[in-house]
Amino acid sequence: VISIAAKPDASFSASTVCLGNDVTIQNNTTVIPAGDPVNYSWNIPGGTPSVSTIDNPTVTYNSPGQHPVTLIATTQGGCVDTAVANILVSAPPVASFTVPVYCAGKPLTLTNTSSAATGFPIQNYFGSIPGGNPSASTSFQPTVLYTLPDTLPVTLIVSNADGCRDTATQNVIVS
């Protein structure tokens, strides 16, 4: 009797992840014929954990960039297949702005001092400016007008193309 072992076709996928967030690596391995048990061995350099034997490991990275991942799928019959791909870890921008001393009734420009890591430029800006005109803005450095003295929180949200974002809030003191 000749026994033919099942052949694995190793495959996986993972979404781009923002630095500091977890990513679950989706194991898409198939076996022909289906139903044969498969053992998985993951090599995830730069990730925590750096190795795993579970089907769909959840990993965190402490540095941005392309990180290689290797999956080795081995059937009970000893057939082996390997898949290698990169996971992109995106560096989030850092939201920051300055607010000068301000008197009501004059235009105020909020100075955007946000920064981004090389290769991960800021794509979107959103400012929440309660009590001001306008009360919201997507401008890089919005100009706003306050008509009454008050202390109001202003929030800046910046994000990159990968959806990584950061938020900064400061009080604007209107005299």
Side-chain angles (χ1 to χ4, degrees), residues 55-81:
D55 290 1
N56 301 297
T58 297
V59 182
T60 55
Y61 289 92
N62 61 9
S63 65
Q66 296 281 351
H67 293 270
V69 175
T70 302
L71 167 61
I72 301 170
T74 307
T75 62
Q76 187 173 356
C79 293
V80 177
D81 192 32

Side-chain angles (χ1 to χ4, degrees), residues 82-135:
T82 302
V84 179
N86 286 326
I87 293 178
L88 176 61
V89 179
S90 181
V94 176
S96 172
F97 64 98
T98 61
V99 179
V101 174
Y102 178 69
C103 295
K106 296 183 179 182
L108 166 68
T109 299
L110 301 172
T111 304
N112 189 335
T113 57
S114 300
S115 61
T118 302
F120 302 98
I122 296 171
Q123 298 266 316
N124 299 298
Y125 302 91
F126 176 76
S128 171
I129 312 165
N133 183 12
S135 61

Side-chain angles (χ1 to χ4, degrees), residues 8-73:
D9 182 12
S11 173
F12 65 90
S13 60
S15 301
T16 295
V17 63
C18 299
L19 185 64
N21 292 342
D22 293 341
V23 61
T24 298
I25 304 172
Q26 181 62 47
N27 187 340
N28 301 318
T29 300
T30 57
V31 179
I32 300 173
D36 230 19
V38 180
N39 292 318
Y40 301 108
S41 176
W42 296 90
N43 184 10
I44 313 163
T48 302
S50 61
V51 295
S52 181
T53 56
I54 65 173
D55 290 1
N56 301 297
T58 297
V59 182
T60 55
Y61 289 92
N62 61 9
S63 65
Q66 296 281 351
H67 293 270
V69 175
T70 302
L71 167 61
I72 301 170

